[in-house]
Amino acid sequence: MQHFVNEYEYTSDILEESVGAWWECKFKAGYRSMLVVFILIAVLSIVLKRPVLLLVEFAPFFVIMLLKLKKKKAIQIEQERVDILFHSSALSYCVEIGEDISVTSSKGNNRIQFSDVEKYIETKNLIILFVKGSMTLALDKKGFREGTKEAFMSLLADMIN
C-alpha cells in the first residue's frame, strides 16, 4: 500500500473553498432543477402566449438565491466555530494515508476508513473527501510531503467507487 502525508494550515481560504465545495456538491441537483423549471416556465409562457407566466420565473430564481445565501452563512458559521475553538490561532492538519486515513490536528487524532469515504472532488487548491455523516476532509494539493497529488488521485479512483 502506498503511503502519503499531507500537511497544511487550515486557513480561511481553505475553509471557504472546502465548505463552499460541499454546498455546491450537495445542492447541485437543486440548482439544475431550478434552472430546468426556469426554462420550462419561459417556454410555456411563449407557447401558451401568456406573458403573465413570466412572473412565476421569480420562484426558481429565489430558490437559487436562497441556496447561495445559505452557503455563505454556512461558511461564516464554520469560521466562527474555528475562531471559538482555536481562539484565532493557526490550525494545522497532518493527514497520513495508508491502510486508512489518519488525521492529526491540535484537536487530536482521528481515523477514517476508506469505506467511510463516499466520494471526492478536486477544486482549484484542494482535494476534498466527502465522508459519511456529511463530513469533509480537505487536503491541500501543495501539501504533499510524501507521495504526490497525482498518485493520491489515482489511489482515490481505485479505492472509492
Side-chain angles (χ1 to χ4, degrees), residues 41-56:
I41 291 170
V43 169
L44 277 173
S45 69
I46 293 168
V47 170
L48 298 176
K49 296 180 183 175
R50 303 228 187 239
V52 75
L53 283 176
L54 291 176
L55 294 175
V56 181

Side-chain angles (χ1 to χ4, degrees), residues 62-74:
F62 177 75
V63 171
I64 289 171
M65 292 309 297
L66 185 63
L67 289 173
K68 293 286 186 184
L69 288 172
K70 287 178 90 55
K71 173 182 146 185
K72 185 176 179 179
K73 184 66 176 171

Side-chain angles (χ1 to χ4, degrees), residues 12-71:
S12 294
D13 291 339
I14 287 178
L15 180 150
E16 186 173 339
E17 189 171 337
S18 177
V19 174
W22 182 88
W23 270 83
E24 293 293 326
C25 249
K26 181 96 172 154
F27 296 104
K28 185 185 289 186
Y31 291 126
R32 288 181 180 161
S33 298
M34 290 301 105
L35 182 59
V36 168
V37 169
F38 187 83
I39 292 168
L40 284 174
I41 291 170
V43 169
L44 277 173
S45 69
I46 293 168
V47 170
L48 298 176
K49 296 180 183 175
R50 303 228 187 239
V52 75
L53 283 176
L54 291 176
L55 294 175
V56 181
E57 289 280 30
F58 289 109
F61 178 73
F62 177 75
V63 171
I64 289 171
M65 292 309 297
L66 185 63
L67 289 173
K68 293 286 186 184
L69 288 172
K70 287 178 90 55
K71 173 182 146 185

